Amino acid sequence: MLTASTSRRDAIEAWFATLRPGMTVALSTHINSDGDGCGSETALARLLAQRGIHARIVNPTPWPAMFNFLLGDDIEEASARGAVALDGIDALIVLDINDVRRLGQLADKVRALTVPISVVDHHVAGDEPVGHIAVADTAACATGELVFDIAMTLGLELTPAVAQSLYAAILTDTGSFRFSNTSPRAHAIAAALLAAGVNPEEMYRRIYAQVSVGRLQLLREALGTLHADPEIGLSYIAVAAGAMERFDISSEELDGIVEHPRSITGTRMAMFFRDLGHGKVKVSFRSTGSVDVQQFARRYGGGGHAKASGALLTGNLAEVQEQVVADARAYLTGGDTATA
C-alpha cells in the first residue's frame, strides 16, 4: 500500500530528471499557507537537500507562526523578501495549488520567469495552471502524500524532521483523519511516519492545542452572526473587517472556524465570510454528503476540493453575503443550472 502507483512513479521520475545537484530551487504555495502547504514545503526542501539541491521557500504571504516548529536552521524561509527572493533560482516548484492567481503578489513574477516551473499538487488544475511539469493526482489525500511518494520513489530518507512535516501535511488536510479524503493509504502513510519518529500527541498539541484568548473571543463574535436554514441545509457565519486587529490574532487563527456551521445537524453547505476590508471578502466553503463546493466556488474564480473550497469576491460584506447566500440557496435547491 505504501508503493506509489505506476503513473505517480513515472511522473516523479520524469520530474526529478529535470533537477540537478547544485541547483537552487524556490518552493512556493498558496496565499495564507496551511499545514499541507507548509508541511509539504519543509519536507521537500529537506528531501531535495539529500540530493544536493538547495531549496528556498518563497511564499506570497508570511509563514504562519503556528508552523514555525517545522522550520529549522537547515531551511531557508525567504517569504519576507517577496518576489525578489525568486531572483537567481534555477527552477520553481509550486506545491498545493495549480493556479498562478493563488500565488498572490508573486503571480506576475512567476508568469515572467524563464526557468522551469513544476507543480506538486492534489487539486484540479485552475483556469491558469502554474507550470508545465507536474506530479499531480486528485486522488491523493494531501500534497504531503505526493511528497511522501517522492521520497519513496527516489529512495530518500524519511528523517524525523521530514516525517514530522509530512504528518502535519496529512493530518491537517484530512481534518485529523475525519474528512472523506481520508483513505486507507493515508492511514498507512501516517503509520510509517509514526515509525519514523513522529510523536502524535506532540503534533496535536502544536497544531490544535495552542489557541489564543483572542481567537476564542473572535469565535464568540462570529457565532453571533450564525444563520442556519435546516430546510435546505445551509449554514453560515461572518467576521467583520477589523475583527482580527481588535482581538490581536493572525489570519491562521481563523482556520477551522467554518467547521462550526458545518457541524450543525442537516447542514449540506457551510460558509464563512471574512471581510478583508478595501472592498474584498474571502469566502470559505465546506460541504457534507454529495454537495460539490468546488464547482460552486469556481463561479467566483475560486476553487479547491469538492468538500472544501474558497473564493475571493469584490464588494462589501453585506453585498457579497447577500449574493452568495442567494446563489447557494438556488444551488442547493436545484434552482441553479449547476446541480448540487
Side-chain angles (χ1 to χ4, degrees):
M1 186 175 288
L2 290 180
T3 301
S5 66
T6 300
S7 59
R8 281 194 198 176
R9 294 199 307 271
D10 289 347
I12 288 167
E13 290 169 354
W15 164 76
F16 194 73
T18 67
L19 303 175
R20 298 285 184 275
M23 277 185 162
T24 293
V25 302
L27 307 181
S28 194
T29 189
H30 50 79
I31 297 168
N32 299 323
S33 51
D34 57 11
D36 194 16
C38 293
S40 296
E41 286 180 309
T42 50
L44 185 58
R46 291 183 169 107
L47 291 171
L48 292 174
Q50 294 179 27
R51 291 294 183 90
I53 299 166
H54 176 70
R56 174 188 305 156
I57 294 174
V58 187
N59 291 342
T61 48
W63 184 268
M66 69 180 293
F67 294 114
N68 279 344
F69 73 96
L70 298 179
L71 299 172
D73 293 340
D74 58 332
I75 298 291
E76 182 185 358
E77 205 291 293
S79 302
R81 293 170 53 196
V84 70
L86 295 175
D87 291 342
I89 61 172
D90 300 304
L92 171 66
I93 303 170
V94 177
L95 298 104
D96 205 36
I97 49 168
N98 197 2
D99 192 317
V100 72
R101 296 170 301 178
R102 296 207 67 203
L103 287 170
Q105 66 168 340
L106 301 179
D108 287 341
K109 179 82 170 188
V110 169
R111 290 185 182 103
L113 287 176
T114 57
V115 300
I117 302 174
S118 56
V119 175
V120 180
D121 184 35
H122 70 131
H123 298 88
V124 174
D127 295 330
E128 189 180 352
V130 184
H132 308 293
I133 305 164
V135 178
D137 191 343
T138 58
C141 70
T143 297
E145 178 179 333
L146 299 176
V147 178
F148 175 87
D149 287 339
I150 289 171
M152 295 298 97
T153 300
L154 300 178
L156 302 174
E157 182 184 359
L158 280 182
T159 65
V162 169
Q164 181 174 250
S165 290
L166 293 177
Y167 191 84
I170 293 173
L171 179 72
T172 54
D173 238 37
T174 59
S176 300
F177 305 101
R178 293 179 294 122
F179 298 161
S180 61
N181 59 330
T182 304
S183 62
R185 191 167 192 263
H187 281 292
I189 293 172
L193 299 176
L194 295 181
V198 170
N199 181 329
E201 183 177 4
E202 177 69 7
M203 292 295 285
Y204 168 79
R205 185 188 68 80
R206 287 183 176 275
I207 295 173
Y208 297 115
Q210 299 193 87
V211 178
S212 69
V213 171
R215 201 265 190 188
L216 293 179
Q217 291 171 329
L218 182 141
L219 175 60
R220 178 178 60 190
E221 182 172 292
L223 289 175
T225 72
L226 175 66
H227 288 78
D229 187 340
E231 291 187 6
I232 63 170
L234 177 65
S235 302
Y236 55 94
I237 57 175
V239 166
M244 290 173 52
E245 291 74 16
R246 283 190 288 111
F247 295 116
D248 191 27
I249 68 170
S250 60
S251 59
E252 66 203 65
E253 293 184 80
L254 299 178
D255 187 44
I257 286 181
V258 70
E259 296 302 322
H260 291 276
R262 187 190 203 182
S263 68
I264 296 172
T265 300
T267 293
R268 300 162 62 209
M269 180 190 292
M271 302 186 294
F272 171 37
F273 296 87
R274 176 188 164 198
D275 191 340
L276 304 179
H278 310 290
K280 296 292 183 182
V281 178
K282 180 180 180 182
V283 189
S284 297
F285 304 99
R286 298 293 185 272
S287 74
T288 60
S290 61
V291 175
D292 187 342
V293 290
Q294 177 184 238
Q295 182 186 46
F296 185 72
R298 285 176 71 90
R299 69 182 61 197
Y300 308 115
H305 299 287
K307 298 293 181 67
S309 290
L312 183 65
L313 284 78
T314 299
N316 63 47
L317 180 59
E319 293 169 343
V320 169
Q321 188 166 298
E322 181 179 8
Q323 174 193 348
V324 175
V325 168
D327 290 347
R329 289 182 186 279
Y331 187 64
L332 291 172
T333 58
D336 199 344
T337 53
T339 59

